[in-house]
C-alpha cells in the first residue's frame, strides 16, 4: 500500500495532536473496522472512569482488528473517534495514544463529542478504515 500523509501549512498543525490533515492511499484491499471500545476479549471494561486506559485498550483493539484482516496500524488511513462529551475538555490522553500508536504518518482523524456510547462505562470508541 502506498500511503501519503499531507499536512499543509495552510491548515492547523494536527500532528501535535497525533493525526494528519489528509491521507492519500492506494492499495488493493480496504478494511472497515467497527468501533473499538475499552473491553478486553471477555467484555471486561479496562479503565473504568480512566480515559487514558480506555484510549490504550481501544487502540490495542484497533490493532487486533486490522491485524486479523491482514493489515497493520500503518495501513490505517482514517479514524473516527467518539468521545463522551463530558470528557471532551480532557482529551490529552487521546493525543498521547495517537502519537504512541501512530508515531509516523498518522491517519486522518475526526474527533466527535457524543452524549453517550453503547454502555455508560465507555468513554471512547474508535472506528476506522485501513487500505493495503
Amino acid at each position: 500500500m502506498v500511503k501519503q500523509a499531507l499536512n499543509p501549512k495552510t491548515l492547523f498543525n494536527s500532528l501535535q495532536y497525533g493525526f494528519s490533515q489528509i491521507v492519500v492511499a492506494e492499495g488493493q484491499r480496504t478494511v472497515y473496522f467497527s468501533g473499538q471500545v475499552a473491553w478486553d476479549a471477555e467484555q471486561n471494561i479496562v479503565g473504568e472512569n480512566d480515559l487514558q486506559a480506555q484510549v490504550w485498550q481501544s487502540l490495542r483493539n484497533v490493532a487486533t482488528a486490522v491485524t486479523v484482516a491482514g493489515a497493520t496500524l500503518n495501513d490505517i488511513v482514517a479514524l473516527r473517534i467518539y468521545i463522551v462529551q463530558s470528557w471532551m475538555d480532557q482529551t490529552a490522553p487521546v493525543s498521547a495514544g495517537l502519537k504512541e500508536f501512530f508515531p509516523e504518518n498518522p491517519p486522518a482523524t475526526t474527533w466527535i463529542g457524543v452524549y453517550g456510547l453503547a454502555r455508560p462505562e465507555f468513554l471512547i470508541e474508535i472506528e476506522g478504515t485501513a487500505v493495503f
Side-chain angles (χ1 to χ4, degrees), residues 32-43:
Y32 303 92
F33 54 90
S34 294
Q36 299 300 310
V37 295
W39 265 350
D40 65 14
E42 289 77 42
Q43 295 183 321

Side-chain angles (χ1 to χ4, degrees), residues 64-76:
T64 298
V66 297
T67 300
V68 168
T72 68
L73 285 174
N74 194 49
D75 296 320
I76 295 175

Side-chain angles (χ1 to χ4, degrees), residues 64-121:
T64 298
V66 297
T67 300
V68 168
T72 68
L73 285 174
N74 194 49
D75 296 320
I76 295 175
V77 297
L79 293 173
R80 283 154 310 281
I81 301 176
Y82 303 94
I83 305 165
V84 172
Q85 187 66 43
S86 61
W87 289 82
M88 286 298 289
D89 63 345
Q90 303 170 55
T91 57
V94 179
S95 292
L98 291 172
K99 291 176 192 175
E100 178 75 22
F101 282 78
F102 303 98
E104 307 224 354
N105 207 11
T109 304
T110 300
W111 300 17
I112 305 159
V114 296
Y115 175 76
L117 295 165
R119 298 281 176 106
E121 64 268 21

Side-chain angles (χ1 to χ4, degrees), residues 39-54:
W39 265 350
D40 65 14
E42 289 77 42
Q43 295 183 321
N44 297 308
I45 189 72
V46 174
E48 190 165 348
N49 291 314
D50 182 340
L51 185 57
Q52 180 172 330
Q54 289 203 19

Side-chain angles (χ1 to χ4, degrees), residues 8-20:
K9 293 189 185 315
T10 52
L11 296 174
F12 80 90
N13 177 12
S14 62
L15 293 175
Q16 67 183 321
Y17 300 107
F19 65 93
S20 295

